[in-house]
Amino acid sequence: MDRGRVLARDADGRPLRMLGTHMDMSDAMQAQLALRGNEERLRALLDNMQAGVVVHDTDTRVLDANPEAGRILGLSPQQMRGRVAIDPYWALLHEDGTPLPLARYPVHQVLALGAPMGHQVMGIRRPDLPDPVWALCNGFPLHDAEGRVAQVVVTFSDITEHRRAEQQVRAAQRDLAATLAAIPDLLFELDLEGRYHDYHASRADLLAVPPEAFLGRRVADVLPPDAADEIMAALREAHGKGYCAGRRILLDLPQGRLWFELSVATKPLTDGGPPHFMVLSRDITDRVRAEEQLRRLNAGLRVLGHCNLAIGQAADRLALLSAVCQALVDQGGHRLAWAGLVDDTATPALQPLAMAGIDPDGLAHARAGHAGAVDQALHTGQPVLQAGQATADGAAGDTVLVLPLPGPQGVRGVLVVAGPQADACDAEARAPLEELARNVAHGLDALRARLPRRRSGRGPASARRRFPAGSAAIRAASGHRGRASRGRLRPRGWGRRVRA
């Protein structure tokens, strides 16, 4: 019975007759139970969401909040209820860390616009944490039956770890950019077919062609065949071993011919695509030039040592000059060498006496090309370097170095060396050759002084034959005895040449 009243009662007051109505409440009870179930499901959903939810009244007081909102804001839902948006417990921040104005608070934006707002990144500074908590915020209004804003719902997604990871990535990118900017080398990303996919160049002047001319194309389409073949060989080696280093390529660039050394490593790929490689190309032109300079210097020193030995052993000036010219070709790597002396006739003229690397007919032609430098060296007594002139077919000509041979009364002759332009003698490489020329001149003086002694029989061997007792006394006084001691006291072959 939903409603009714008693019409009659007995003497004891118990109802005898009643008047009333009955109403079926089944649907209402089921609706109420369904609503209660929906509320429970909604509460369970809010309590387990990975985003914070805060419901504000129109005066910004907190009406409700879920546990995730409490975790982000640092208060329990019970502690948050009744607090207003500008509560001093928390302070909201811009992305740059500066304080967020009240008008930019999510709840105030929704109240001001009467419309949703979204994707606002803001920091939440809490007194219990040293660093802010960062969140991605969204908000929307709930309207009453008359369309007025009754409540505001604000959601928070904690992006602190994501933001920290982004900052680390940006820091790594800045470090990488600074590192790449400090590396003077060229860096390319290529696939196994030699196709360019990306590049980095701190010095664009080292690129053989502009980026738009090589990106997406193969090395064989861009670089000279020799360089392209060497790069492809490096890629294949890196594909097999994981790494390749030490290969060199030579490129003709506007600033000249430059050498590059390649270092290739396999680039790890996560998508399982075709292999890619990182190719580091380093300008080693200065190093190659230094190596070449050292090679020429060492060659000059080898020639100097070999020729000094020949000077001590030569029996006459022809043998001396021939040995020197041959050493310059064999040991020094020069293409040709020849030597000539000024004769003692009434009209002195330069007479070639020795040559190597060239026949007499070729020497006659070469002398015509060397005439200007030879005349200058004879006149000034100073070395003369004549740069190579290109031939008719465009090939580089020989670089010629003319070394004067000084004598007691001026220049007695010249020593001429010639070779490819790549072997041009610089100041350091010329020093051993200039010393060689002086040694040759001294050797010629020694030979010239030795000849009268041979004719007069006044050499060391003759002195020993004429004064055997004196020689023995000298050896005894100096502590040298026997044949071995005598060999150490004289240049090898001296006695043999005198006896001959």
Side-chain angles (χ1 to χ4, degrees), residues 456-492:
S456 63
R458 293 186 310 204
S462 175
R464 286 197 300 272
R465 286 195 298 269
R466 285 182 289 165
F467 304 101
S471 298
I474 293 173
R475 290 196 299 273
S478 60
H480 294 283
R481 299 181 181 275
R483 187 177 183 85
S485 296
R486 292 196 300 272
R488 287 195 296 270
L489 287 173
R490 67 173 185 269
R492 197 177 74 179

Side-chain angles (χ1 to χ4, degrees), residues 118-130:
H119 305 292
Q120 179 180 359
V121 176
M122 66 180 189
I124 304 168
R125 186 172 296 282
R126 292 166 32 181
D128 60 329
L129 294 178

Side-chain angles (χ1 to χ4, degrees), residues 291-305:
E291 291 173 353
E292 179 63 20
Q293 181 181 6
L294 181 61
R295 183 193 67 79
R296 293 199 303 267
L297 180 60
N298 288 336
L301 293 175
R302 286 196 303 271
V303 170
L304 180 60

Side-chain angles (χ1 to χ4, degrees), residues 187-200 211 214-219 222 235 267 269 271 273-279:
L187 187 64
F188 303 96
E189 180 179 347
L190 283 75
D191 59 25
L192 193 55
E193 295 181 351
R195 193 178 307 278
Y196 291 95
H197 290 267
D198 200 359
Y199 84 102
H200 173 82
F214 66 79
L215 286 176
R217 303 180 66 187
R218 298 179 305 168
V219 293
V222 177
L235 293 176
K267 178 183 179 181
L269 294 179
D271 57 1
H276 282 208
F277 304 89
M278 301 307 297
V279 180

Side-chain angles (χ1 to χ4, degrees), residues 169-205:
V169 170
R170 285 195 291 269
Q173 289 175 339
R174 289 193 298 269
D175 291 344
L176 178 60
T179 301
L180 291 176
I183 295 176
D185 308 321
L186 304 176
L187 187 64
F188 303 96
E189 180 179 347
L190 283 75
D191 59 25
L192 193 55
E193 295 181 351
R195 193 178 307 278
Y196 291 95
H197 290 267
D198 200 359
Y199 84 102
H200 173 82
S202 299
R203 290 184 53 191
D205 61 309

Side-chain angles (χ1 to χ4, degrees), residues 233-255:
L235 293 176
R236 289 190 293 269
E237 182 177 344
H239 184 53
K241 299 180 180 179
Y243 185 79
C244 173
R247 291 183 177 269
R248 297 179 176 185
I249 60 175
L250 178 63
L251 297 177
D252 287 319
L253 300 183
Q255 60 268 43

